[in-house]
Amino acid sequence: ELKVEQNPLFLSMQEGKNYTIYCNYSTTSDRLYWYRQDPGKSLESLFVLLSNGAVKQEGRLMASLDTKARLSTLHITAAVHDLSATYFCAVDGFGNEKLTFGTGTRLTIIP
Amino acid sequence: DVKVTQSSRYLVKRTGEKVFLECVQDMDHENMFWYRQDPGLGLRLIYFSYDVKMKEKGDIPEGYSVSREKKERFSLILESASTNQTSMYLCATQAGGAGEYEQYFGPGTRLTVT
């Protein structure tokens, strides 16, 4: 069974600081997805990482994938308030189109 | 842009009622999924469908059924709603085919069963 673990589950950080969210998964996969969810809203796709060593950046967010370590990171640079949301990572089992989601990291940016 | 719509944003039903949640997509995607989302549990897959009239159980199918009579429409059915089915329900679509595994989500239906 594929397990996906995120940490931390809750993160409160000050504006302007840097931080990293970690996503570990338990079986072989070379595809990983990051989503953002605002309170009361649905999930919005942020990044699709499709190979070992993949790195993608958008604004103050950067995601990377290390398939050997079964680890993805979502790095936040110089946080701003509008990044406050819950972030989910998801993995598809090798060759399987279903996604298994982590439990999410609720990020709160404090002014 | 992919557009995924769900029939209701909020729904209140009584225990024992039959409940229909509908999802419609306009992108000709092959695959469609139903999840429920509960605090601290993340998203859990209820059912999914790879094609019209095809369905497969996800991780928590008990108490639910689905119907996919047309490619663009995927319905989730609660045969006899119970209070433990109070949750946020999310529909997602996926293009299908090699390497196209990104899922696109609808706005969600928050269901309360009293």
Side-chain angles (χ1 to χ4, degrees), chain A:
Chain A
E1 182 190 349
L2 175 56
K3 290 190 188 300
V4 182
E5 293 185 350
Q6 287 181 239
N7 68 82
L9 298 184
F10 299 93
L11 177 56
S12 182
M13 54 191 290
Q14 286 188 311
E15 278 190 328
K17 300 289 188 184
N18 303 334
Y19 210 82
T20 301
I21 298 170
Y22 298 89
C23 174
N24 289 91
Y25 53 97
S26 62
T27 64
T28 301
S29 177
D30 57 3
R31 286 183 287 264
L32 190 135
Y33 310 80
W34 283 98
Y35 289 86
R36 169 183 172 143
Q37 185 178 38
D38 292 305
K41 301 284 182 66
S42 190
L43 275 74
E44 171 193 353
S45 179
L46 287 175
F47 299 110
V48 178
L49 304 169
L50 297 178
S51 60
N52 186 41
V55 177
K56 290 200 174 175
Q57 181 163 6
E58 173 127 2
R60 299 172 188 273
L61 299 178
M62 183 173 73
S64 65
L65 178 61
D66 180 345
T67 59
K68 291 184 171 58
R70 299 178 185 171
L71 171 68
S72 180
T73 60
L74 180 67
H75 187 73
I76 302 143
T77 301
V80 293
H81 180 70
D82 64 6
L83 289 179
S84 295
T86 299
Y87 294 85
F88 291 91
C89 63
V91 177
D92 66 68
F94 190 69
N96 185 332
E97 294 169 303
K98 294 190 293 181
L99 296 185
T100 299
F101 285 80
T103 50
T105 296
R106 183 181 290 179
L107 173 64
T108 304
I109 310 295
I110 303 166

Side-chain angles (χ1 to χ4, degrees), chain B residues 10-14 82-83 85-87 110-114:
Chain B
Y10 300 94
L11 208 52
V12 180
K13 294 291 182 181
R14 293 193 181 276
S82 64
T83 54
Q85 293 178 309
T86 292
S87 187
R110 188 167 293 280
L111 172 67
T112 302
V113 182
T114 62

